[in-house]
Amino acid sequence: MYPEFQYFLEAYCTLGLETEEVWEAIEQFKKSENPTVQKSLLVELQKVLNDGDLAIAIEMIPEHGYRQFSAEETAMFLKHIVKQLQTE
């Protein structure tokens, strides 16, 4: 349903990262991925946040990102990623 978010979780939120490093994974994503992929992730996350679709993100994070976040942590994580993607 959200392929770029799934890709981000699988590629950048690996098991070896400490929890605080997961919050910084977006910086590596921005350095490594082309603008089209970054834009796709931004659009997906804005859709999740705007549509109130946090339940899907809450399911995807442990399945693909190997982390367990509360609903509040999930919303903060997504907002952080969106903010970072919108910053040049």
Side-chain angles (χ1 to χ4, degrees):
M1 180 172 234
Y2 296 105
E4 295 300 344
F5 185 46
Q6 179 177 335
Y7 168 70
F8 170 75
L9 292 170
E10 291 174 350
Y12 292 92
C13 297
T14 61
L15 280 172
L17 292 181
E18 297 294 327
T19 302
E20 59 274 0
E21 292 174 314
V22 171
W23 291 82
E24 299 168 2
I26 191 64
E27 291 305 318
Q28 184 60 41
F29 178 84
K30 284 177 66 175
K31 291 177 187 174
S32 302
E33 298 297 334
N34 72 52
T36 303
V37 173
Q38 292 181 40
K39 177 68 174 169
S40 294
L41 178 60
L42 177 62
V43 168
E44 287 182 6
L45 296 183
Q46 287 173 326
K47 181 172 174 33
V48 169
L49 290 167
N50 292 337
D51 292 352
D53 215 0
L54 279 181
I56 289 176
I58 290 169
E59 289 178 24
M60 290 180 71
I61 290 170
E63 182 178 345
H64 302 287
Y66 312 106
R67 300 287 183 279
Q68 193 70 35
F69 288 162
S70 68
E72 183 179 327
E73 290 170 324
T74 299
M76 288 186 335
F77 182 56
L78 299 182
K79 289 174 184 176
H80 171 75
I81 296 170
V82 166
K83 182 179 176 184
Q84 293 302 315
L85 286 172
Q86 291 174 332
T87 304
E88 289 297 321

